[in-house]
Amino acid sequence: TLVPALPAFAQGCEDRSQNHEARIAACDQAFAMATDAEAAAIALAFKGEALRLLARFDEAEAVLKDALGFMPENGWIWIELGNLAYDRGDPADALAHYSAALAVEDSADAWANRAEVWWQFRSGERCNADADEALRIAADFAYANEIKGRCLIDLGRAEEALEYFDRAI
């Protein structure tokens, strides 16, 4: 939903079921064949995601920043930069990237991911508010329901949290 469809020649780059090295190669091919800035940005973003999943963080960061150069208004690229910061153990940077994503796109993923960071900072009210925003967009989003439940527990509302955990399951 956040990620625009790639041209047919780039489908291997989008395929998250294959191994990450194969995705990187497919993304390099998709980037080489890109006919516009959007296709180039998406190919780079998928490559950055694959690099992040291989814990090749410095490479992933460089590729994702290149992707932003082609398409800074793409929320998913900002989210992926947030995921990279989160995986690196830098929640403050992750929070900034998720907020940047929300500045360009109303995204359940960005709201839920930012709620997760607020939860880690033990900011229950902010966590709860962001989880609500994610659920406004996607009421059955399991991740957002699970985070909402954790926020509510931190706010001393365990009984209410149970319905969100049940929905997440």
Side-chain angles (χ1 to χ4, degrees):
T1 59
L2 280 178
V3 182
L6 288 174
F9 61 79
Q11 290 304 309
C13 183
E14 187 176 286
D15 181 6
R16 290 182 171 116
S17 68
Q18 64 182 325
N19 77 54
H20 302 307
E21 292 295 344
R23 281 186 69 204
I24 291 167
C27 291
D28 284 340
Q29 180 182 16
F31 180 74
M33 298 175 71
T35 57
D36 60 29
E38 180 178 9
I42 297 304
L44 289 172
F46 275 117
K47 178 180 179 178
E49 177 187 55
L51 288 164
R52 175 183 62 83
L53 293 170
L54 288 170
R56 291 165 52 184
F57 298 144
D58 291 341
E59 291 172 81
E61 182 177 25
V63 168
L64 290 166
K65 286 182 177 180
D66 285 348
L68 277 181
F70 284 99
M71 202 172 173
E73 71 283 358
N74 183 293
W76 179 64
I77 299 170
W78 287 105
I79 291 169
E80 191 53 37
L81 277 164
N83 294 344
L84 173 64
Y86 187 87
D87 288 356
R88 278 184 160 163
D90 187 351
D93 198 35
L95 187 69
H97 288 304
Y98 297 141
S99 295
L102 291 167
V104 297
E105 188 170 336
D106 190 23
S107 159
D109 289 319
W111 286 114
N113 289 0
R114 197 170 81 167
E116 171 77 33
V117 176
W118 285 127
W119 180 80
Q120 286 189 356
F121 284 142
R122 297 297 179 237
S123 182
E125 289 297 334
R126 286 178 170 168
C127 174
N128 190 46
D130 281 3
D132 282 343
E133 290 297 326
L135 293 170
R136 170 186 55 80
I137 297 167
D140 292 329
F141 186 12
Y143 177 53
N145 278 287
E146 187 261 331
I147 292 166
K148 172 78 175 180
R150 286 191 277 134
C151 301
L152 290 171
I153 285 176
D154 283 359
L155 293 171
R157 296 161 51 189
E159 286 295 317
E160 188 180 345
L162 289 175
E163 73 182 75
Y164 291 96
F165 290 135
D166 286 343
R167 193 174 302 142
I169 293 168

